């Protein structure tokens, strides 16, 4: 049991590192190619990979569901979150954008009331207020954060919150691989419909093509490791480790783009992380 729990503690930081590398790669490539094109390739690559590796073993079970519209809506929220997140990465530093998107747990705590019928506790309200105080430190007047990029990042957090709410609705009836497949399927179909609007004649170099294709592999591998981590270890114990992605983003932003957050931005990130952790630890205590 100890070894099984330990494997979860090893897999989760690896998954979060892969997500951070994916974000850094997308930010780098967004300087050369349209964001919708990168999103399209990301989901299409993941779809092809799953059709080749997972679908043969699951057969019809990978796509047959009793709640198709909820699955499609969930996938749409993730696609919107990905799109808005990449548009934010295009204009904002890596670490600060990641921290803004990590408002998601606070938004989930508030949305769980009206959407899931859960009681909203005082600590949820206090944590949310603290989290937004952290946001104000990051996007404070006089700082170098682009306003439009901030709106994109906060929009990504909201869409990702709705995605997580819908995931909780589907958890009892839908296996993880089916949910993962629907993400790739919905993302590929939706972005393919808009492909003519952002398709250009720009031909990527071999290096650029490899980096673009890697986005789908990062997404698939990261989500697979995330699923395995939460399968191996209790979610309440792993949840605090989710905030290590901000640390990875800070390091990659410094090494790849030469940007390191200033003191007030770091303080804002710490406040957002602490607010989220207070919810995790509070929920664990309430269940104990």
């Amino acid at each position: 049991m100890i070894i099984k729990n330990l494997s979860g503690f090893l897999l989760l930081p690896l998954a979060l590192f892969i997500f951070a590398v994916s974000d850094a790669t997308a930010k780098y490539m967004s300087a050369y190619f349209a964001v919708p094109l990168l999103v399209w390739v990301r989901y299409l690559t993941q779809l092809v990979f799953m059709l080749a590796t997972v679908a043969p073993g699951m057969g019809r079970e990978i796509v047959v569901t009793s709640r198709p519209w909820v699955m499609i809506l969930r996938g749409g929220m993730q696609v919107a979150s990905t799109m808005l997140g990449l548009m934010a990465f295009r204009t904002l530093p890596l670490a600060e954008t990641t921290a803004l998107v990590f408002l998601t747990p606070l938004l989930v705590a508030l949305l769980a009331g009206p959407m899931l019928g859960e009681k909203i506790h005082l600590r949820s309200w206090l944590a949310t207020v603290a989290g937004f105080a952290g946001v104000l430190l990051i996007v404070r007047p006089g700082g170098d954060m682009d306003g439009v990029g901030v709106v994109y990042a906060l929009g990504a957090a909201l869409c990702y919150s709705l995605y997580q709410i819908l995931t909780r609705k589907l958890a009892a009836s839908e296996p993880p691989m089916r949910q993962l497949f629907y993400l790739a399927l919905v993302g590929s179909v939706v972005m393919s419909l808009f492909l003519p609007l952002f398709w250009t004649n720009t031909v990527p170099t071999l290096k650029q093509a490899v980096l673009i294709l890697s986005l789908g592999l990062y997404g698939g591998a990261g989500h697979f490791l995330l699923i395995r981590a939460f399968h191996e270890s209790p979610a309440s114990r792993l949840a605090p480790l989710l905030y290590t992605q901000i640390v990875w983003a800070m390091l990659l932003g410094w090494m790849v783009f030469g940007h390191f957050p200033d003191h007030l931005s770091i303080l804002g990130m710490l406040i957002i992380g602490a607010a989220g952790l207070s919810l995790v630890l509070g929920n664990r205590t309430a269940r104990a």
Side-chain angles (χ1 to χ4, degrees):
M1 180 63 69
I2 294 177
I3 295 178
K4 183 177 181 180
N5 288 341
L6 180 61
S7 64
F9 280 92
L10 297 176
L11 291 174
L12 184 58
L14 178 58
L16 298 175
F17 174 73
I18 291 175
F19 288 145
V21 172
S22 177
D23 291 340
T25 303
K27 178 177 173 62
Y28 176 78
M29 294 309 301
S30 68
Y32 304 96
F33 298 95
V35 167
L37 178 63
L38 299 178
V39 176
W40 174 69
V41 174
R42 179 248 187 273
Y43 284 108
L44 184 63
T45 304
Q46 183 178 335
L47 177 63
V48 172
F49 179 76
M50 292 197 71
L51 286 173
T53 59
V54 180
M58 292 188 65
R60 295 177 66 250
E61 289 297 315
I62 198 172
V63 71
V64 175
T65 173
S66 60
R67 309 177 75 180
W69 293 112
V70 181
M71 293 281 280
I72 292 172
L73 179 60
R74 172 182 174 272
M77 288 297 101
Q78 173 68 354
V79 174
S81 177
T82 302
M83 173 75 76
L84 292 169
L86 293 190
M87 292 174 71
F89 280 126
R90 191 169 191 171
T91 58
L92 299 180
L94 195 65
E96 285 87 334
T97 307
T98 302
L100 293 176
V101 175
F102 263 81
L103 282 172
T104 296
L106 307 178
L107 296 176
V108 169
L110 297 183
L111 292 173
M115 297 187 68
L116 297 178
E118 298 180 3
K119 182 179 180 181
I120 303 178
H121 298 282
L122 177 60
R123 66 171 176 272
S124 297
W125 289 109
L126 294 176
T128 302
V129 171
F132 279 102
V135 170
L136 292 177
L137 284 175
I138 296 175
V139 302
R140 64 194 181 277
D144 57 356
M145 299 286 282
D146 178 72
V148 175
V150 171
V151 172
Y152 286 147
L154 296 178
L158 177 60
C159 290
Y160 195 46
S161 302
L162 295 172
Y163 159 80
Q164 290 198 10
I165 291 289
L166 293 172
T167 298
R168 287 164 66 170
K169 281 181 172 289
L170 293 166
S173 61
E174 306 298 333
M177 282 302 170
R178 184 185 298 158
Q179 294 189 41
L180 190 59
F181 178 78
Y182 263 84
L183 285 183
L185 180 62
V186 171
S188 298
V189 172
V190 169
M191 299 311 299
S192 293
L193 294 176
F194 294 97
L195 186 60
L197 298 178
F198 52 79
W199 183 265
T200 66
N201 294 324
T202 303
V203 179
T205 64
L206 178 60
K207 175 185 175 181
Q208 290 174 334
V210 170
L211 290 175
I212 292 174
L213 290 174
S214 72
L215 294 175
L217 297 179
Y218 288 143
H223 281 288
F224 175 77
L225 291 173
L226 191 71
I227 291 169
R228 291 300 307 173
F230 282 102
H231 176 75
E232 297 290 343
S233 302
S236 60
R237 295 182 181 179
L238 290 180
L241 293 177
L242 290 171
Y243 292 89
T244 59
Q245 186 173 342
I246 298 178
V247 178
W248 292 129
M250 190 182 304
L251 293 175
L252 288 172
W254 173 54
M255 291 188 295
V256 178
F257 303 102
H259 173 83
F260 198 82
D262 59 29
H263 293 89
L264 286 178
S265 294
I266 292 176
L267 178 60
M269 295 179 198
L270 290 174
I271 292 174
I272 292 173
L277 285 176
S278 71
L279 289 180
V280 173
L281 297 176
N283 291 336
R284 182 191 300 180
T285 302
R287 287 192 297 264

